[in-house]
Amino acid sequence: MAYALGFVFSPLSSPQQRHPLLFPASYCGLSLRLSDVVLPTRGFKFQNPILIAAKHSEIRGFRTTKSVELDQFVTSDDEEEAEEEMGDGFFEAIEELERMRREPSDILEEMNDRLSAKELQLVLVYFSQDGRDSWCALEVFDWLRKENRVDKETMELMVALMCGWVKKLIQEQPGVGDVVDLLVEMDCVGLRPGFSMIEKVISLYWEMGEKEGAVLFVEEVLRRRIPFALEDDPDGRKGGPTGYLAWKMMVEGDYRGAARLVIRFRESGFKPEVYSYLIAMTAVVKELNEFAKALRKLKSFVKAGLIAELDLEDVESTEKYQSDLLSDGVRLANWVFRDCSPSLHGVIHERLLAMFICAGRGIEAERQLWEMKLVGKEADKDLYDIVLAICASQKEDKATARLLTRMEIANSPQKKKSLSWLLRGYIKGGHFNEAADTVMNMLKLGFYPDYLDRIAVLQGLRKRIQQFGNVDTYLKLCKSLSDANLIGPCLVYLYIRKYKLWVVKMV
């Protein structure tokens, strides 16, 4: 154990000299009071968790009687039951361990048959108290692990003690280095619970409002290359410190901060786990989506006359912010493509597709659809329709034609759905001639466009008549709608520029 921890055991040196990190001090305070931790109570007969401090006698320096001092008062019945739990071996073990004349493992090996599982757990609790040698608690646990005597209850107890020490360190703010040192010690004694203690520490920082401390802690973990992957996740795909911290930030709505955190660590020369890139790209998607919703709301206020039109500087600022977000997302994707296995490429293309859809980038979004298909990951059909609508709104004829080829093998409901998206894309982009052609094509195939879509196209064409005087498309559309019994006799207002007259024609 002494070699694993990197320390040299010497009975002549004080515990503080050997292991300054593990001893309570004004600057550190690794010791634990019961209020800092929840101990497992299954199997214990105390009504409340109890800290035990043995009394010294004049003869032996340590009383081997059954009485103990308690930090919390208990009833006489509880004390009697506790006394029955602890034999003479428990107190002798405490006395020998405190003297530190021999290695703790030698003492425990010698008294192995005299100490019950509950007594060994109480030894752990005893040495975790304020003023006690916390290093001994780690040594005792290390010996228990080597002797295969760590059951679920003992593991929960030791994890609780360690969490209490970490919490104490964070409260006294000695620096993240000491917290990381403690995790190293924990790993040396084989304390490996079924969850990541690093993530638990991040949660403690977060819950205590020390968010910058959490960032510095993760940075120190990456700098020292502390192992963090669980046994069932050797590649760090399911979690890790950077991704967990980014996820914490994202949950609180700091999407841009989550993405910039991962980029910052990567650009600082660290290598965050794969999971962190996926979380960061998800954060970019969410930020782009929130930004798009804010822009739509802003435009509605402008349209309603509630606020003034955006000036050129405002427009350029919004475009730059969106462009910067997309640049962050692409940079994260490129790192994953470069460093990770091809099995993740489909997921990355899917994230990029979501980014370009949120940003309204039709050509880039269409490319991601085909990239996903090439790596064997098929996008949802609805995503094809959404990209089709974006490309139609931007009058990207070639991309629109490529996406429409999917309809050749689609069933009737899917064809109608895709054509409806195409129609709405043209309407949104103000391309009413193309929208009218789409309506007439749908009618030929036996599909009836939605009422509001038909009205929008007719209104758009009427405005174009007033601007350009071309009525041919409008008349054709009215006839097609009339033949399908979707419209009554249509009044067409024609503006004859030469004579500046309005002529009303009945169709």
Side-chain angles (χ1 to χ4, degrees), residues 137-155:
L138 293 177
E139 289 280 0
V140 171
F141 180 83
D142 186 47
W143 179 81
L144 287 171
R145 181 183 60 82
K146 291 176 180 177
E147 293 295 319
N148 199 26
R149 295 188 65 174
V150 177
D151 55 14
K152 180 181 178 181
E153 188 176 279
T154 304
M155 176 64 78

Side-chain angles (χ1 to χ4, degrees), residues 431-461:
H431 311 300
F432 293 104
N433 285 336
E434 289 77 7
D437 290 339
T438 303
V439 171
M440 290 185 282
N441 186 32
M442 292 178 70
L443 293 174
K444 288 178 182 178
L445 294 171
F447 304 139
Y448 291 164
D450 290 346
Y451 174 76
L452 292 178
D453 292 338
R454 302 197 303 265
I455 295 300
V457 177
L458 288 170
Q459 289 178 344
L461 289 174

Side-chain angles (χ1 to χ4, degrees), residues 173-401:
Q173 299 178 337
V176 296
D178 288 344
V179 178
V180 177
D181 287 341
L182 178 58
L183 294 183
V184 173
E185 301 286 359
M186 180 187 71
D187 185 69
C188 287
V189 299
L191 182 59
R192 297 181 180 91
F195 62 91
S196 171
M197 275 296 294
I198 291 178
E199 292 180 7
K200 177 63 178 177
V201 173
I202 294 171
S203 290
L204 289 172
Y205 272 109
W206 206 261
E207 291 163 6
M208 297 168 67
E210 297 290 338
K211 297 181 180 181
E212 183 58 31
V215 174
L216 295 174
F217 168 75
V218 173
E219 188 173 1
E220 182 69 7
V221 168
L222 295 176
R223 187 183 67 80
R224 296 199 198 180
R225 299 182 180 179
I226 305 297
F228 51 77
L230 298 176
E231 292 181 0
D232 62 342
D233 184 31
D235 297 327
R237 293 190 181 186
K238 297 180 181 178
T242 309
Y244 186 71
L245 180 56
W247 176 79
K248 283 278 191 184
M249 299 171 73
M250 191 171 66
V251 168
E252 291 198 352
D254 187 8
Y255 305 131
R256 187 77 192 275
R260 294 303 304 172
L261 174 78
V262 179
I263 292 173
R264 165 187 160 185
F265 285 159
R266 176 66 187 231
E267 291 182 339
S268 297
F270 304 128
K271 192 174 182 180
E273 70 282 1
V274 175
Y275 174 76
S276 66
Y277 295 110
L278 302 180
I279 287 292
M281 293 184 73
T282 302
V284 172
V285 173
K286 287 183 173 291
E287 180 66 10
L288 283 167
N289 189 45
E290 292 298 317
F291 183 67
K293 288 194 293 186
L295 276 182
R296 287 195 295 269
K297 185 176 291 187
L298 186 62
K299 289 177 181 178
S300 68
F301 289 158
V302 172
K303 188 175 181 180
L306 299 176
I307 60 175
E309 288 277 354
L310 298 178
D311 59 24
L312 180 59
E313 184 178 352
D314 291 334
V315 172
E316 290 176 349
S317 296
T318 56
E319 290 178 350
K320 183 179 184 306
Y321 184 75
Q322 186 184 74
S323 179
D324 289 344
L325 283 172
L326 285 172
S327 296
D328 288 344
V330 171
R331 190 182 318 169
L332 289 162
N334 288 336
W335 284 329
V336 182
F337 287 138
R338 187 186 311 155
D339 299 342
C340 304
S341 66
S343 62
L344 283 176
H345 288 185
V347 177
I348 303 305
H349 285 302
E350 190 174 42
R351 296 289 199 284
L352 287 170
L353 171 62
M355 290 180 200
F356 291 126
I357 286 176
C358 290
R361 304 289 184 90
I363 292 296
E364 292 92 335
E366 188 222 359
R367 178 185 174 187
Q368 296 307 316
L369 287 173
W370 307 131
E371 292 283 0
M372 288 177 64
K373 187 180 285 288
L374 287 174
V375 298
K377 187 175 180 63
E378 185 65 40
D380 188 83
K381 294 178 181 178
D382 290 341
L383 294 177
Y384 278 93
D385 290 337
I386 293 171
V387 176
L388 174 64
I390 295 173
C391 291
S393 70
Q394 297 168 351
K395 204 67 167 52
E396 296 288 351
D397 295 333
K398 292 182 179 180
T400 302

Side-chain angles (χ1 to χ4, degrees), residues 128-176:
S128 70
Q129 296 178 84
D130 288 337
R132 301 294 173 186
D133 187 349
S134 302
W135 170 77
C136 260
L138 293 177
E139 289 280 0
V140 171
F141 180 83
D142 186 47
W143 179 81
L144 287 171
R145 181 183 60 82
K146 291 176 180 177
E147 293 295 319
N148 199 26
R149 295 188 65 174
V150 177
D151 55 14
K152 180 181 178 181
E153 188 176 279
T154 304
M155 176 64 78
E156 290 175 353
L157 170 63
M158 195 62 203
V159 169
L161 295 176
M162 296 297 290
C163 288
W165 288 336
V166 170
K167 185 176 180 180
K168 191 77 171 178
L169 276 176
I170 295 172
Q171 287 174 335
E172 298 190 2
Q173 299 178 337
V176 296

Side-chain angles (χ1 to χ4, degrees), residues 378-433:
E378 185 65 40
D380 188 83
K381 294 178 181 178
D382 290 341
L383 294 177
Y384 278 93
D385 290 337
I386 293 171
V387 176
L388 174 64
I390 295 173
C391 291
S393 70
Q394 297 168 351
K395 204 67 167 52
E396 296 288 351
D397 295 333
K398 292 182 179 180
T400 302
R402 287 192 295 266
L403 291 165
L404 284 174
T405 57
R406 296 181 64 254
M407 290 202 311
E408 295 175 2
I409 58 172
N411 55 32
S412 291
Q414 184 59 46
K415 283 182 180 179
K416 179 183 178 182
K417 188 177 180 182
S418 296
L419 288 171
S420 297
W421 276 99
L422 176 67
L423 174 59
R424 289 164 191 164
Y426 282 135
I427 293 172
K428 182 177 176 62
H431 311 300
F432 293 104
N433 285 336

